[in-house]
Amino acid sequence: MPLSVCFRADAATWIGIGHVMRCLTLADALRERGHRCQFICRAHSGNLIAHIRSKGHGVIELPGTDEALPESAAGTDQLDHAAWLGCDWSEDAAQALAALSENPVDWLVVDHYALDARWESQLRAVCSRIMVLDDLADRAHDCDLLLDQTLGRRPGEYARWLSRPAELLCGSQYALLRPEFAEWRSKSLQRRDTGQIRHLLITMGGVDQHNATGQALAVLNTADLPPQARVTVVMGARAPWLEQVRQQAGKMAIPVVVETDVRDMAGLMAGSDLAIGAAGATSWERCCLGLPAIMVVLAANQSGVAAGLKKAGAAEIIPSPQQIEAGLTPLVESLLASPERCREMSERAARVTDGAGTARVTQYLEALI
């Protein structure tokens, strides 16, 4: 019997696009199995509402803002990311309740650092089950299923945060990846045999508020790269620094191509030798394909992912955008000088996730109704 599923997630210039994109991955997989999916999103600056609709999913649009809510306006009991929501949680809950009141859903999937058990409890009236996507283990939840795809996350870390018994899917084996990453995995891993670096890929997220992309290009322009080296940059079509990066790319000493709205990211990653990218959702994509990576921590909530992948030997880390200028050159040059290290990093990354996480999560959603 088809399930009805509603996702509550936002994209914005201050949030990024990762939450919505991983929800889209799950929504697409559910639709492939005959289930009906829709989204509730705020129309913030930098939203992905049009993109969601272009993928064939309905969107219930809530009022948005041009910037994050001032922290002083979020209340004294605010969550660390309360300002991301753009309004008070109770207002958001009331609007979501009204939107679903006439058509309750089987599953409500919540992927938002600004929402917690208070919001989730309010929405019980319009859904049979609640699933939460989290990475932080820093706030209470009222849910039936919780997914945290962080490498090394243990279910016990959520024990204090759950108000009722829930199924816990913890660890990178549940990483929500589109099916093409599993399809490209074998070919990509074969490419890593030489450990040579010729094609560099820069992916700093769909927004890249700090222009980490431009900083990385400036460093690579003076680095001692092999003559055959080339760079592909991937950015969001509405990224604020896009035009500046394009102009910068045209003046580089090495060939640089700037791409937006890439439709075959798996193929592009599989054809790359080293990624320089944010420590966000694309971390799991790189790992699935065994792509060696230098990860830049662009926000505090990415530090856990970065630390875990560094410990696993799957990536090198630059702790903040401010450290790109000093930290990137020695890391790139050390990897260029050590094909053995690149091969080892690739092997360790490939152990992190196999690309089948979305199918595993989908099976839980179907079994728990």
Side-chain angles (χ1 to χ4, degrees):
M1 185 178 196
L3 299 175
S4 56
V5 184
C6 183
F7 293 83
R8 176 68 189 95
D10 286 332
T13 53
W14 57 92
I15 296 174
I17 66 174
H19 297 272
V20 167
M21 292 304 291
R22 67 183 178 185
C23 285
L24 264 175
T25 295
L26 184 54
D28 288 346
L30 287 166
R31 183 176 56 190
E32 285 293 312
R33 296 182 61 84
H35 307 304
R36 300 184 302 272
C37 299
Q38 63 179 325
F39 284 70
I40 296 177
C41 301
R42 290 199 169 273
H44 294 318
S45 174
N47 71 77
L48 289 181
I49 291 172
H51 179 65
I52 297 169
R53 287 175 172 152
S54 75
K55 300 278 284 184
H57 302 293
V59 182
I60 298 169
E61 189 172 331
L62 302 182
T65 63
D66 291 331
E67 58 186 13
L69 189 71
E71 292 188 7
S72 60
T76 57
D77 60 344
Q78 65 183 11
L79 304 174
D80 287 346
H81 295 84
W84 281 16
L85 192 57
C87 66
D88 184 77
W89 73 266
S90 60
E91 179 183 352
D92 191 276
Q95 292 173 340
L97 271 170
L100 295 177
S101 60
E102 294 186 7
N103 293 291
V105 295
D106 295 311
W107 278 103
L108 178 59
V109 181
V110 188
D111 188 354
H112 210 304
Y113 293 161
L115 301 176
D116 65 357
R118 297 170 297 178
W119 188 97
E120 293 149 10
S121 297
Q122 291 287 314
L123 271 292
R124 284 277 177 193
V126 292
C127 63
S128 299
R129 297 283 190 275
I130 293 177
M131 175 184 179
V132 166
L133 276 66
D134 194 11
D135 311 281
L136 305 178
D138 70 342
R139 63 201 187 281
H141 290 296
D142 177 5
C143 62
D144 305 285
L145 177 64
L146 187 144
L147 167 63
D148 186 328
Q149 59 189 23
T150 305
L151 175 63
R153 178 70 77 198
R154 300 182 303 275
E157 295 177 67
Y158 279 98
R160 61 179 290 216
W161 297 117
L162 298 176
S163 61
R164 67 174 68 206
E167 289 282 343
L168 298 174
L169 307 181
C170 293
S172 52
Q173 68 270 31
Y174 297 108
L176 296 173
L177 302 183
R178 299 189 302 277
E180 55 263 34
F181 287 94
E183 293 166 4
W184 274 98
R185 178 174 165 86
S186 177
K187 186 173 182 179
S188 181
L189 295 182
Q190 291 174 10
R191 178 188 175 88
R192 314 296 165 200
D193 289 343
T194 67
Q196 293 184 333
I197 297 175
R198 296 293 182 268
H199 184 193
L200 292 86
L201 176 65
I202 300 178
T203 57
M204 294 294 182
V207 176
D208 188 13
Q209 276 187 298
H210 304 282
N211 195 21
T213 301
Q215 296 180 62
L217 285 176
V219 171
L220 293 178
N221 202 35
T222 59
D224 186 16
L225 299 177
Q228 310 96 319
R230 60 190 177 94
V231 177
T232 299
V233 171
V234 175
M235 302 183 73
R238 298 168 66 183
W241 297 95
L242 176 59
E243 290 307 316
Q244 181 171 320
V245 167
R246 281 176 169 157
Q247 293 176 18
Q248 184 178 359
K251 301 175 183 177
M252 293 279 289
I254 56 175
V256 178
V257 175
V258 180
E259 302 276 5
T260 60
D261 296 329
V262 173
R263 294 185 178 274
D264 185 20
M265 181 61 79
L268 180 57
M269 285 186 175
S272 302
D273 303 309
L274 175 67
I276 303 169
T282 54
S283 302
W284 315 119
E285 298 171 353
R286 296 189 293 256
C287 285
C288 176
L289 299 175
L291 177 58
I294 298 172
M295 299 171 61
V296 183
V297 179
L298 299 181
N301 55 55
Q302 296 180 351
S303 58
V305 169
L309 291 174
K310 170 68 175 177
K311 183 178 180 180
E316 296 289 354
I317 304 301
I318 296 176
S320 71
Q322 292 74 28
Q323 293 171 270
I324 291 175
E325 182 177 356
L328 185 56
T329 296
L331 287 175
V332 169
E333 293 182 350
S334 68
L335 290 172
L336 283 168
S338 179
E340 296 81 7
R341 171 66 183 124
C342 289
R343 286 196 296 268
E344 180 185 10
M345 188 183 295
S346 175
E347 291 170 2
R348 289 177 177 267
R351 296 175 200 159
V352 170
T353 187
D354 60 4
T358 304
R360 296 184 181 109
V361 175
T362 300
Q363 290 170 4
Y364 272 93
L365 287 166
E366 292 175 332
L368 292 177
I369 277 294

